[in-house]
Coordinates of all heavy atoms in Angstrom, one line a residue:
S1 N 98.5 98.1 93.5 CA 99.7 98.4 94.2 C 99.5 98.4 95.7 O 100.4 98.4 96.5 CB 100.3 99.8 93.8 OG 99.5 100.8 94.2
H2 N 98.2 98.4 96.1 CA 97.9 98.6 97.6 C 96.5 98.0 97.8 O 95.7 98.0 96.9 CB 97.9 100.0 97.9 CG 98.5 100.3 99.3 ND1 99.8 100.1 99.6 CD2 97.9 100.8 100.4 CE1 100.0 100.4 100.9 NE2 98.9 100.8 101.4
P3 N 96.3 97.4 99.0 CA 95.0 96.8 99.2 C 93.9 97.8 99.7 O 93.5 97.8 100.8 CB 95.3 95.8 100.4 CG 96.4 96.4 101.1 CD 97.2 97.1 100.1
V4 N 93.5 98.6 98.7 CA 92.5 99.6 99.0 C 91.3 99.6 98.0 O 90.4 100.4 98.2 CB 93.2 101.1 99.0 CG1 94.1 101.2 100.1 CG2 93.8 101.4 97.7
Y5 N 91.3 98.6 97.2 CA 90.3 98.6 96.1 C 89.2 97.6 96.3 O 88.6 97.2 95.3 CB 91.0 98.5 94.7 CG 92.0 99.6 94.4 CD1 93.3 99.4 94.5 CD2 91.5 100.8 93.9 CE1 94.2 100.4 94.2 CE2 92.4 101.8 93.6 CZ 93.7 101.6 93.7 OH 94.6 102.6 93.4
Q6 N 89.0 97.1 97.5 CA 88.1 96.0 97.8 C 86.7 96.3 97.4 O 86.0 95.5 96.7 CB 88.2 95.6 99.2 CG 89.6 95.0 99.6 CD 90.4 96.1 100.2 OE1 90.3 97.3 100.0 NE2 91.5 95.7 101.0
Y7 N 86.2 97.4 97.8 CA 84.8 97.8 97.5 C 84.6 98.1 96.0 O 83.6 97.8 95.4 CB 84.3 98.9 98.4 CG 84.3 98.6 99.8 CD1 85.3 98.9 100.7 CD2 83.2 97.9 100.4 CE1 85.3 98.6 102.0 CE2 83.1 97.6 101.7 CZ 84.2 97.9 102.6 OH 84.2 97.5 103.9
F8 N 85.6 98.8 95.5 CA 85.6 99.1 94.1 C 85.6 97.8 93.3 O 84.8 97.7 92.3 CB 86.9 99.9 93.8 CG 87.1 100.3 92.3 CD1 86.3 101.2 91.8 CD2 88.1 99.7 91.5 CE1 86.4 101.6 90.5 CE2 88.2 100.0 90.2 CZ 87.4 101.0 89.7
A9 N 86.4 96.8 93.6 CA 86.5 95.5 92.9 C 85.2 94.8 93.0 O 84.7 94.2 92.0 CB 87.6 94.7 93.4
R10 N 84.6 94.8 94.2 CA 83.3 94.0 94.3 C 82.2 94.6 93.6 O 81.4 93.9 92.9 CB 83.0 94.0 95.8 CG 81.7 93.2 96.1 CD 81.3 93.1 97.5 NE 81.0 94.4 98.1 CZ 80.7 94.6 99.4 NH1 80.8 93.6 100.3 NH2 80.4 95.8 99.8
R11 N 82.1 95.9 93.6 CA 80.9 96.6 92.9 C 81.0 96.4 91.4 O 80.0 96.2 90.8 CB 81.0 98.1 93.3 CG 79.9 99.0 92.6 CD 78.5 98.6 93.0 NE 77.5 99.3 92.4 CZ 76.2 99.1 92.5 NH1 75.7 98.2 93.3 NH2 75.3 99.9 91.9
Y12 N 82.2 96.5 90.9 CA 82.4 96.6 89.4 C 82.9 95.2 88.9 O 83.3 95.2 87.7 CB 83.2 97.8 89.0 CG 82.6 99.0 89.6 CD1 83.2 99.7 90.7 CD2 81.4 99.5 89.2 CE1 82.6 100.8 91.2 CE2 80.8 100.6 89.8 CZ 81.4 101.3 90.8 OH 80.8 102.3 91.4
G13 N 82.9 94.2 89.7 CA 83.2 92.9 89.2 C 84.6 92.7 88.8 O 84.9 91.9 87.8
L14 N 85.6 93.3 89.4 CA 87.0 93.3 88.9 C 87.7 92.2 89.6 O 87.5 91.9 90.8 CB 87.7 94.6 89.2 CG 87.0 95.8 88.5 CD1 87.8 97.1 88.8 CD2 86.8 95.6 87.0
D15 N 88.6 91.6 88.9 CA 89.5 90.5 89.4 C 90.8 91.1 89.8 O 91.8 91.2 89.0 CB 89.6 89.4 88.4 CG 90.4 88.2 88.9 OD1 90.6 88.1 90.1 OD2 90.7 87.4 88.0
I16 N 91.0 91.5 91.0 CA 92.2 92.2 91.5 C 92.9 91.5 92.6 O 92.3 91.0 93.6 CB 91.8 93.6 92.0 CG1 91.2 94.5 90.9 CG2 93.1 94.4 92.6 CD1 90.8 95.9 91.4
K17 N 94.2 91.3 92.4 CA 95.1 90.9 93.5 C 96.0 92.0 93.9 O 96.4 92.8 93.1 CB 96.0 89.7 93.1 CG 95.2 88.5 92.5 CD 94.5 87.7 93.7 CE 93.9 86.4 93.1 NZ 93.1 85.7 94.2
S18 N 96.3 92.2 95.2 CA 97.0 93.3 95.7 C 98.4 93.0 96.3 O 98.5 91.9 96.9 CB 96.2 94.1 96.8 OG 95.0 94.6 96.3
V19 N 99.3 93.9 96.0 CA 100.6 93.8 96.7 C 100.6 95.0 97.7 O 99.6 95.7 97.9 CB 101.8 93.9 95.7 CG1 101.9 92.6 94.9 CG2 101.6 95.1 94.8
H20 N 101.8 95.3 98.3 CA 101.9 96.4 99.2 C 103.1 97.3 98.8 O 104.1 97.3 99.5 CB 102.0 95.9 100.7 CG 100.8 95.2 101.2 ND1 100.5 93.9 100.9 CD2 99.9 95.7 102.1 CE1 99.4 93.6 101.5 NE2 99.0 94.6 102.2
W21 N 102.9 98.0 97.7 CA 103.9 98.9 97.2 C 103.5 100.3 97.3 O 102.3 100.6 97.4 CB 104.1 98.5 95.7 CG 104.7 97.2 95.4 CD1 104.9 96.1 96.3 CD2 105.1 96.7 94.1 NE1 105.4 95.0 95.6 CE2 105.5 95.3 94.3 CE3 105.2 97.2 92.9 CZ2 106.0 94.6 93.3 CZ3 105.7 96.5 91.8 CH2 106.1 95.1 92.0
E22 N 104.5 101.2 97.4 CA 104.3 102.6 97.4 C 104.7 103.2 96.1 O 105.8 102.9 95.6 CB 105.1 103.3 98.6 CG 104.8 102.6 99.9 CD 103.3 102.6 100.3 OE1 102.6 103.5 99.9 OE2 102.9 101.7 101.0
P23 N 103.9 104.1 95.5 CA 104.3 104.7 94.2 C 105.6 105.4 94.2 O 106.3 105.4 93.2 CB 103.1 105.7 94.0 CG 102.0 105.2 94.8 CD 102.6 104.6 96.0
N24 N 106.0 106.1 95.4 CA 107.2 106.8 95.4 C 108.4 106.0 95.9 O 109.5 106.6 96.2 CB 107.1 108.0 96.3 CG 106.7 107.6 97.8 OD1 106.3 106.5 98.0 ND2 106.9 108.6 98.7
E25 N 108.3 104.7 95.9 CA 109.4 103.8 96.3 C 109.6 102.7 95.3 O 108.6 102.2 94.8 CB 109.1 103.2 97.7 CG 109.0 104.2 98.8 CD 108.6 103.5 100.1 OE1 108.6 102.3 100.1 OE2 108.4 104.2 101.1
V26 N 110.8 102.4 94.9 CA 111.1 101.3 94.0 C 111.0 100.0 94.8 O 111.6 99.9 95.9 CB 112.5 101.4 93.4 CG1 112.9 100.2 92.6 CG2 112.6 102.7 92.6
P27 N 110.3 99.0 94.4 CA 110.1 97.8 95.1 C 111.4 97.1 95.4 O 112.4 97.1 94.6 CB 109.2 96.9 94.2 CG 108.5 97.9 93.4 CD 109.4 99.0 93.1
T28 N 111.4 96.4 96.5 CA 112.6 95.6 96.8 C 112.6 94.3 96.0 O 111.6 93.9 95.4 CB 112.6 95.2 98.3 OG1 111.5 94.4 98.6 CG2 112.5 96.5 99.2
D29 N 113.8 93.6 96.1 CA 113.8 92.3 95.4 C 112.8 91.3 95.9 O 112.2 90.5 95.2 CB 115.2 91.6 95.6 CG 116.3 92.4 94.9 OD1 116.0 93.2 93.9 OD2 117.5 92.2 95.2
E30 N 112.6 91.4 97.2 CA 111.6 90.5 97.8 C 110.1 90.8 97.3 O 109.4 89.9 97.0 CB 111.6 90.7 99.4 CG 110.6 89.8 100.1 CD 110.6 90.0 101.6 OE1 111.5 90.8 102.1 OE2 109.8 89.3 102.3
Q31 N 109.9 92.1 97.1 CA 108.6 92.5 96.6 C 108.4 92.1 95.1 O 107.3 91.7 94.7 CB 108.4 94.0 96.7 CG 108.2 94.5 98.2 CD 108.1 96.0 98.3 OE1 109.0 96.7 97.7 NE2 107.2 96.5 99.1
W32 N 109.5 92.1 94.4 CA 109.4 91.6 93.0 C 109.1 90.1 92.9 O 108.3 89.7 92.1 CB 110.7 92.0 92.2 CG 110.8 93.4 91.8 CD1 111.7 94.3 92.3 CD2 109.9 94.1 90.9 NE1 111.5 95.5 91.7 CE2 110.4 95.5 90.8 CE3 108.8 93.8 90.1 CZ2 109.8 96.4 90.0 CZ3 108.3 94.8 89.3 CH2 108.8 96.1 89.3
L33 N 109.7 89.4 93.8 CA 109.5 88.0 93.9 C 108.1 87.7 94.3 O 107.4 86.7 93.8 CB 110.5 87.3 94.9 CG 111.9 87.3 94.5 CD1 112.8 86.8 95.6 CD2 112.1 86.4 93.2
E34 N 107.5 88.5 95.2 CA 106.1 88.3 95.6 C 105.2 88.5 94.4 O 104.2 87.8 94.2 CB 105.8 89.3 96.7 CG 104.3 89.3 97.2 CD 103.9 90.5 98.0 OE1 104.7 91.4 98.2 OE2 102.8 90.5 98.5
L35 N 105.5 89.5 93.6 CA 104.6 89.8 92.5 C 104.7 88.7 91.5 O 103.7 88.2 90.9 CB 105.1 91.1 91.8 CG 104.4 91.4 90.5 CD1 102.9 91.7 90.7 CD2 105.0 92.7 89.8
Q36 N 105.9 88.2 91.2 CA 106.1 87.1 90.3 C 105.3 85.8 90.7 O 104.8 85.1 89.9 CB 107.6 86.8 90.0 CG 108.3 87.9 89.3 CD 109.8 87.7 89.3 OE1 110.3 87.0 90.0 NE2 110.5 88.5 88.5
A37 N 105.3 85.6 92.0 CA 104.5 84.5 92.5 C 103.0 84.7 92.2 O 102.3 83.7 91.9 CB 104.7 84.3 94.0
I38 N 102.5 85.9 92.4 CA 101.1 86.2 92.1 C 100.8 86.0 90.6 O 99.8 85.4 90.3 CB 100.8 87.6 92.5 CG1 100.8 87.8 94.1 CG2 99.4 88.1 92.0 CD1 100.7 89.2 94.5
L39 N 101.7 86.4 89.8 CA 101.5 86.4 88.4 C 101.4 85.0 87.8 O 100.8 84.7 86.8 CB 102.6 87.1 87.6 CG 102.6 88.7 87.8 CD1 103.8 89.3 87.2 CD2 101.3 89.3 87.4
R40 N 102.1 84.0 88.5 CA 102.0 82.6 88.1 C 100.6 82.1 88.1 O 100.2 81.2 87.3 CB 102.9 81.8 88.9 CG 104.4 81.9 88.6 CD 105.3 80.8 89.2 NE 105.4 81.0 90.6 CZ 106.4 81.7 91.1 NH1 107.3 82.3 90.4 NH2 106.5 81.8 92.4
E41 N 99.8 82.6 89.0 CA 98.4 82.2 89.2 C 97.4 83.2 88.7 O 96.2 82.9 88.5 CB 98.0 81.8 90.6 CG 98.9 80.8 91.3 CD 98.7 79.4 90.6 OE1 97.6 79.1 90.2 OE2 99.7 78.6 90.6
H42 N 97.9 84.4 88.4 CA 97.0 85.5 88.1 C 97.7 86.4 87.1 O 98.4 87.4 87.4 CB 96.8 86.4 89.4 CG 95.8 87.5 89.3 ND1 94.5 87.3 89.3 CD2 96.0 88.8 89.3 CE1 93.9 88.4 89.2 NE2 94.8 89.4 89.2
P43 N 97.7 86.0 85.8 CA 98.5 86.6 84.7 C 98.0 88.0 84.3 O 97.5 88.2 83.2 CB 98.3 85.6 83.6 CG 97.0 85.0 83.8 CD 96.8 84.9 85.3

């Protein structure tokens, strides 16, 4: 949900793509479209 897991991903070999969402906010239509674009290449 946020680009804060870079060192975590590198150390433990995780394949992570990040968006910029806040847990206490419902994503906007634009943010949902951004996620769907990511999912096409990163299921």
Side-chain angles (χ1 to χ4, degrees):
S1 67
H2 219 64
V4 294
Y5 298 100
Q6 296 92 340
Y7 294 97
F8 180 71
R10 182 179 68 184
R11 177 66 179 175
Y12 306 108
L14 304 182
D15 185 11
I16 297 179
K17 303 288 186 183
S18 296
V19 290
H20 293 77
W21 295 7
E22 305 306 328
N24 60 343
E25 299 175 5
V26 176
T28 64
D29 290 343
E30 182 180 356
Q31 288 173 316
W32 284 114
L33 290 174
E34 177 193 7
L35 174 64
Q36 290 170 346
I38 291 172
L39 294 175
R40 284 194 285 270
E41 302 294 331
H42 186 76

